[in-house]
Amino acid sequence: MTLSVDGVVREACQSVGHDPTRLMDVARAVQARLGGVPPAAIDAIHHQLHVSRAQVLGLVSFYAFLDETPGARHVIRVCDDVVDRLAGHARVARAFSDELGIPIGGTTADGTFALQRTACIGMSDQAPAALVGDVVVTDLSAERARQVVAELRAHGDPQRLVKRLGDGNNAHPLVRAMVRNNIRQAGPIVMSEHKRGEALRKCAALSPVEVIRAVKTARLRGRGGAGFPTGIKWEMARAAPGARKFVLCNADEGEPGTFKDRVLLTEWPDRVFAGMTIAGYAIGAREGVLYLRAEYAYLRAFLEDVLARRRSDGLLGRDVPRRGFEFDIRIQMGAGAYVCGEESALIESCEGRRGDPRNRPPFPAQRGYLGCPTVVNNVETLCCVTRILEAGSAAFSVLGSRQSAGTKLLSISGDVSRPGVYEVPFGTPIQDVLALCGGRDATALQVGGPSGRMVGPADFERTICYDDVATGGALVVFDSSRNPLEIAHAYMEFFEDESCGYCTPCRVGNVLLRRGLEKVLAGRGEPADLEQFEQIARTMKASSRCGLGQTSFNPVLTSLQSFRYQYETLVAEAPHGRRRGFDLDSATAEATRLRAVAAEGGRS
Amino acid sequence: MSEPSLILDGREIPFVPGQTILQAAEDAGAWIPRLCHKPGLEPCGSCRVCVVRANGRTVSSCTFPASLGMVVECDTPDLLAMRRLIVEMLFVEGNHFCMSCEKSGHCELQALGYRLGITAPQLEYQFPRREVDASHPDILIDHNRCILCARCVRTSRDLDGKEAFAFVGRGPHKRIAASAGSRLRDTSADVSDRAIDACPVGALLRKRVGFSVPVGRRPYDAVPIGGQEVGR
């Protein structure tokens, strides 16, 4: 079958009504059909969608799941997150590599297979995991990796790799994934029983201002990690002038070690969509967008179906939640970029651009998606909103601690006996959480993912809440056999890779810290290097343009705070005034080589 | 009717509503160090050299709007240290050999290094391997010297009306590219483009004009960048 590039592009552009802000969808569609977005396709998109080549090229080269050169029929993306590494990623990656005869990053000569690495795909509770196209393959072993390749060679259908379906909606005909929910402890708020339509009925009885008041009375704060009060965010968007407003749901769950939104989207999608509808009513928006990370593409058809059923059941569309109002939702797919979890980068991405965060002000509530007032809320936050309307503000705020009302979902993985999702009230001590999940030998804990903090046993009495140990929900447990410096190093590699590169401190700082750690780990560090780490971290925190660079030094800074002695055993003062990191032989290698070449030339 | 004003390093300065902190400071004779900012271009806030503290928050003064009664700190030891480190980051990220660079004495990065008192970076050089694209008959891009300030991108887009340059890649792999194809000669870039003059360093150059001004008479030989004013 031959595909004409022009034909594929034409079809893709038609499917979005030639809307240039839907460039991401066009690029994704072209990638799906051609295996990449080659120069000819970029040219065709430029002509048909009337966007500059610069914009197309910039977009394609930005996202990990888009390629400029057409790739292979099967792209296997092996997740190399820290948790996967603890669970045997190296053996799995080697097995794939050996079986295919190509290194990570390679493509087989016949163009059938490409093998790539990828950051956390939201499956830390069933690691090591990989993506074969859109199909998630979990609990991998070296043997299983070899089988995957053999099966793909035999039948060529990634979906047939799924032998045993997961629980709940993972077995839904539109999902059919081997993913398991691993709900270890459900709670009274987010993962409680949901009566479809009830929240919207109650919402319809209130005015928009009363809805905002209910959310404020419940003292709901954003669950993505930053903890901004949801009611105030909504008030700002409501007050902002503009006839067209938007509600964006951030389902770009990219923080390594986080997977609770995956479970909410699988089992409580109606609660998420109800929350968006309520938000729309509150701020005066008629349109919503769910930004779904590319790694969760396997949930897309299912979520589209949930939306379709809501439309036919009168829970979306005209006169929702009551006469004279309306609301509808579309799904925007991402294409592999952690930074798009940052709200202004997410908006840029929705508009078909590189995921570069924006300068603020203006804030999204003033000027967001398509220049209109926009609220961006996390999946879990929106579930809380629905629950607040269902059960009332008091039932919500009675749980949790003083500054942190309600419950928090935790994604727990690493060295624990019961990895999975836990709903706990805010204010729960870390040690109680460890007891719940079976993390008996925990010596280090990454709270809130790599952008959060690494804590040691001295902090285990502290509590999970906004004013003590805040977290977006990731909790990765490390036992006494793990080296905090190596963990920090792996996380710095992640940030180096995921920085958008827009501003200097983040683009350069992550690299400097990663290299600095390598120097210390190699036994070539000096005490002054540790001071420099702190200096770089201070500069990144204060001067970076968005939340990524303002937190990405944390693996180094917080491991230095919690495990300083481990650093100190590795560094020493330089002898004879020569830097310990200086290696005379390697520094003069080039000159030595040139001298040899010159001598050779002189002789001939 | 009194003009709106803000406090810059303890001094009350007026501003016109809509101005950024950097513009207001400049009009009041206080030069805030900067690299990616260029009058006439939409500010992008990417280099972060112009960071100041506004009402306690660290912000890029080239993008942050001035507001009534705002208290701005610019010339403080910690902000100066931060600015130095950011400029050092730009030096070690690329390959900047001033002694052989055509832009020496005209280069804003070099001039800022002098003004901020950077003798040698304390950060480690990364010595990346980067390319020189001399495929165009009249202009060249030396990626070794590019600081990703987006001045050429913005100038080409907004003043030349061409979009001859674009950013590709991300993170440390982000680089400037000729937008139409892989090589500079394939673009609409032209020797008369204002984008060429927008480059603050020696990354985007016209061929056959290097070293035309003798040492001693180059712009930054006599007067440091930003003049002799306060605000190092």
Side-chain angles (χ1 to χ4, degrees), chain B residues 132-145:
Chain B
V132 176
D133 182 349
S135 61
H136 193 283
D138 302 315
I139 49 185
L140 67 89
I141 297 182
D142 186 343
H143 292 286
N144 291 290
R145 301 165 181 169

Side-chain angles (χ1 to χ4, degrees), chain A residues 459-473:
Chain A
D459 288 315
F460 289 179
E461 284 178 17
R462 298 175 66 183
T463 59
I464 305 277
C465 64
Y466 293 108
D467 24 32
D468 195 0
V469 182
T471 173

Side-chain angles (χ1 to χ4, degrees), chain A residues 69 138 286 361 552:
Chain A
T69 44
T138 62
R286 290 184 300 274
S552 65

